[in-house]
């Protein structure tokens, strides 16, 4: 009886707060679809200027619609050329990635250990900056002022000359990536919510990272290359929450194909790849998925992460028979990868981001303090929030021992992102690529849908104009 009464009090509180904060609208903006993983679309309630997405700007530059790509973020900054730092730009995959990104009309900063080598291999219009991944201060200086980072640096799985000067797998894939993430966190903290922030981070690792103890990957991991990559992935995933950037982790199969030597930069994208020019992509790093992957296809995937409107995504890929993917096919591929990770997607055609952020904060605090969830969840959880300007809430599921030790089992991350069919979407994903739902996950998501539905239904009945979803 007390739990039901508490639930009713909480719902009343949500409705009152919604009215007080101006959540009212002239029509319900959510459909009444109640399926477990329903994609709920919103109806427009008023004009709201649409901010050009980061992707649309880059795509127009890539297609020649204008000479320079104009980037923007959810905060609305626009009118400048998007800039990206490519770490390891003189390697095989790094050079191909640089060539593809350059074709988008993006400003590129090549972050390398040897500027002399970079100047010999890269065009004059690419900025070259020296940095050593083992030195965080040099990395921070090299990344200052860019919008995105693509990490293609790597080393060999077994001891070779490339390990000299301490550049072994641990130094490059673990410590080096941690230094990059720590540098980004410092730069974003220094920039604040309105300053020049790094918003997207892409990391190149390898297929088998999550199967390092299984044959044949256990052989590849003899000197710890996959273990070090796994640590690097963890640094990126954890750092994304603290620093407020979105991440993508790309795991290709065994790299094959050119460039084998040092061809002319202009000829890089003309290297023949034979019949295996297409790619197959799957989220995570699932058992049974293996094969070779061309450097060209790997570079295409890395470059696409810059222009696709998805984030916090990890996937594996391999080359398969067929033609190279068109831009339309790449769009479909990333949409499929993103949707496959989602527990829930609510799309909105109009949105006041600030008001929605306030409502989501109230909702997150309320489900903890009010006892609104009935029956109670089968495992404890806590609520946290990402660093601004990211809009969202993290529902962290916990394991508590009899001795009182608390371990985080994972998180259900709710994020406001650019939508696919509508301008905005609230997306729920499990952290770290977890496949199985958390105990109580469905109940939490149904509670979220119910609360949003009740607020918008109350807004319709009130007859008030404007609201959290649309312009007032």
């Amino acid at each position: 009886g007390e739990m039901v009464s508490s639930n009713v009090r909480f719902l009343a509180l949500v409705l009152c707060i919604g009215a007080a904060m101006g959540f009212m609208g002239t029509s319900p903006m959510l459909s009444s679809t109640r399926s477990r993983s329903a994609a709920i679309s919103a109806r427009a309630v008023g004009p709201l200027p649409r901010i050009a997405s980061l992707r649309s700007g880059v795509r127009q530059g890539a297609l020649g619609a204008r000479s320079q790509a104009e980037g923007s973020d959810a905060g609305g900054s626009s009118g400048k050329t998007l800039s990206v730092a490519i770490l390891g730009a003189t390697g095989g995959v790094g050079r191909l990635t640089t060539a593809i990104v350059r074709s988008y009309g993006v400003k590129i900063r090549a972050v390398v250990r040897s500027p002399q080598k970079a100047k010999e291999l890269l065009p004059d219009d690419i900025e070259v900056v020296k940095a050593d991944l083992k030195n965080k201060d040099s990395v921070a200086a090299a990344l200052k002022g860019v919008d995105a980072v693509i990490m293609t640096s790597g080393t060999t799985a077994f001891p070779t000359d490339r390990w000299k000067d301490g550049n072994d797998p641990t130094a490059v894939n673990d410590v080096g990536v941690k230094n990059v993430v720590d540098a980004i966190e410092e730069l974003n903290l220094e920039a604040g919510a309105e300053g020049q922030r790094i918003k997207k981070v892409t990391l190149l690792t390898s297929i088998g990272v999550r199967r390092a103890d299984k044959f044949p990957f256990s052989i590849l991991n003899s000197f710890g290359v996959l273990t070090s990559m796994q640590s690097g992935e963890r640094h990126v995933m954890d750092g994304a929450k603290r620093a407020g950037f979105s991440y993508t982790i790309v795991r290709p199969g065994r790299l094959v194909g050119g460039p084998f030597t040092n061809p002319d930069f202009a000829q890089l994208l003309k290297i023949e790849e034979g019949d295996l020019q297409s790619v197959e992509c799957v989220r995570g790093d699932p058992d049974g998925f293996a094969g070779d992957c061309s450097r060209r296809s790997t570079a295409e995937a890395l470059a696409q992460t810059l222009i696709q409107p998805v984030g916090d995504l990890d996937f594996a890929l391999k080359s398969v028979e067929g033609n190279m993917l068109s831009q339309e096919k790449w769009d479909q591929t990333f949409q499929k990868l993103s949707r496959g990770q989602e527990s829930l997607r609510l799309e909105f055609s109009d949105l006041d981001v600030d008001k929605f952020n306030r409502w989501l904060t109230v909702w997150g605090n309320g489900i903890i303090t009010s006892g609104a969830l009935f029956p109670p969840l089968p495992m404890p959880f806590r609520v946290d929030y990402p660093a601004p300007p990211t809009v969202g809430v993290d529902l962290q599921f916990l394991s508590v021992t009899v001795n009182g030790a608390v371990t985080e089992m994972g998180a259900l991350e709710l994020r406001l992102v650019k939508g696919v069919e509508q301008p905005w979407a609230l997306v729920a994903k499990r952290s770290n690529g977890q496949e199985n739902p958390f105990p109580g996950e469905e109940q939490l998501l149904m509670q979220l849908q119910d609360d949003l539905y009740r607020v918008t239904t109350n807004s319709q009945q009130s007859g008030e104009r404007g609201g959290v979803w649309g312009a007032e």
Side-chain angles (χ1 to χ4, degrees):
E2 291 180 359
M3 291 296 296
V4 174
S5 176
S6 178
N7 193 17
V8 171
R9 289 197 303 271
F10 170 69
L11 293 176
L13 174 64
V14 170
L15 295 178
C16 291
I17 293 174
M21 295 176 66
F23 289 0
M24 307 306 170
T26 58
S27 63
M29 287 148 287
L30 297 176
S31 73
S32 58
T33 304
R34 318 307 298 155
S35 63
R36 294 181 177 181
S37 58
I40 302 180
S41 297
R43 293 210 303 262
V45 296
L48 182 68
R50 291 188 59 178
I51 301 171
S53 70
L54 178 110
R55 172 174 172 243
S56 66
V58 178
R59 285 285 304 283
Q60 289 180 2
L63 298 175
R66 59 174 177 252
S67 60
Q68 290 185 324
E70 294 180 357
S72 69
D73 59 13
S77 61
S78 61
K80 73 178 188 64
T81 302
L82 178 72
S83 60
V84 57
I86 300 180
L87 282 65
T90 57
V93 174
R95 273 183 291 156
L96 286 165
T97 304
T98 301
I100 296 167
V101 171
R102 182 172 179 259
S103 73
Y104 295 165
V106 173
K107 182 179 179 181
I108 298 173
R109 181 181 298 171
V111 180
V112 298
R113 288 197 304 265
S114 173
Q116 182 60 39
K117 180 181 178 181
K119 291 177 181 179
E120 294 172 357
L121 295 175
L122 304 176
D124 293 338
D125 60 345
I126 293 178
E127 181 185 7
V128 176
V129 176
K130 181 178 181 179
D132 186 340
L133 296 187
K134 300 189 296 295
N135 185 315
K136 187 185 71 172
D137 291 339
S138 73
V139 172
L143 300 183
K144 188 176 181 62
V146 301
D147 300 297
V149 174
I150 299 178
M151 288 185 268
T152 71
S153 302
T155 190
T156 55
F158 300 95
T160 65
D161 288 343
R162 292 181 63 183
W163 284 27
K164 68 180 182 180
D165 299 326
N167 293 308
D168 58 30
T170 298
V172 176
N173 302 325
D174 182 353
V175 177
V177 172
K178 183 179 186 302
N179 283 337
V180 172
V181 172
D182 289 347
I184 293 172
E185 185 175 1
E186 289 182 4
L187 291 171
N188 282 0
L189 180 63
E190 178 184 327
E194 303 298 328
Q196 177 76 29
R197 297 172 60 88
I198 295 173
K199 309 171 191 70
K200 281 198 171 190
V201 175
T202 301
L203 175 65
L204 172 66
T205 61
S206 172
I207 200 171
V209 163
R210 294 185 177 177
R211 296 173 279 167
D213 59 339
K214 299 179 181 179
F215 183 83
F217 302 110
S218 58
I219 304 298
L220 180 65
N221 196 42
S222 297
F223 289 86
V225 66
L226 295 179
T227 301
S228 64
M229 287 182 175
Q230 188 175 62
S231 296
E233 291 185 359
R234 172 65 64 181
H235 294 319
V236 170
M237 291 177 178
D238 292 345
K241 301 176 185 178
R242 301 190 305 268
F245 60 78
S246 66
Y247 69 84
T248 309
I249 294 172
V250 180
R251 304 186 183 104
R254 185 177 67 115
L255 293 174
V256 296
F260 299 107
T261 56
N262 295 333
D264 185 286
F265 189 87
Q267 302 300 316
L268 279 176
L269 302 184
K270 299 179 182 180
I271 296 174
E272 294 293 334
E273 297 290 350
D275 295 331
L276 302 180
Q277 297 187 41
S278 189
V279 292
E280 179 183 355
C281 301
V282 297
R283 63 192 180 96
D285 185 23
D287 287 338
F289 189 82
D292 296 340
C293 191
S294 74
R295 288 178 172 83
R296 168 64 184 268
S297 294
T298 301
E300 289 277 4
L302 291 168
Q304 286 291 323
T305 66
L306 188 66
I307 64 177
Q308 293 291 338
V310 298
D312 296 356
L313 176 68
D314 62 279
F315 64 94
L317 71 158
K318 64 180 179 180
S319 294
V320 295
E321 188 171 350
N323 297 324
M324 287 191 297
L325 298 189
S326 64
Q327 186 58 56
E328 181 180 3
K329 291 293 185 182
W330 275 115
D331 290 346
Q332 294 171 0
T333 296
F334 272 85
Q335 288 176 19
K336 181 179 178 181
L337 289 170
S338 180
R339 291 292 180 90
Q341 287 189 319
E342 295 173 4
S343 302
L344 180 73
R345 170 175 284 262
L346 311 177
E347 294 215 342
F348 308 95
S349 61
D350 243 339
L351 197 69
D352 185 314
V353 175
D354 290 336
K355 289 183 179 179
F356 183 82
N357 190 24
R358 293 198 296 271
W359 184 89
L360 197 60
T361 301
V362 171
W363 181 85
N365 292 336
I367 60 174
I368 289 292
T369 60
S370 69
L373 292 171
F374 184 82
L377 293 189
M379 70 184 301
F381 72 99
R382 65 187 175 204
V383 175
D384 197 4
Y385 299 92
T390 303
V391 175
V393 60
D394 294 336
L395 306 174
Q396 299 173 349
F397 291 82
L398 309 172
S399 172
V400 183
T401 68
V402 293
N403 297 325
V406 178
T407 303
E408 183 179 334
M409 306 304 295
L412 186 64
E413 300 173 347
L414 292 145
R415 294 290 185 271
L416 186 66
V417 298
K418 296 294 185 182
V420 175
E421 298 175 358
Q422 303 290 350
W424 295 100
L426 181 65
V427 173
K429 294 182 181 180
R430 301 180 198 101
S431 64
N432 306 334
Q434 178 165 324
E435 297 289 339
N436 299 321
F438 296 108
E441 175 182 317
E442 179 183 337
Q443 183 183 349
L444 275 169
L445 294 179
M446 288 300 295
Q447 183 74 51
L448 173 64
Q449 294 181 71
D450 288 344
D451 292 341
L452 284 171
Y453 181 70
R454 288 186 177 95
V455 170
T456 52
T457 301
N458 183 67
S459 298
Q460 178 194 30
Q461 294 172 349
S462 73
E464 298 290 337
R465 296 186 59 82
V468 65
W469 320 124
E472 294 184 335

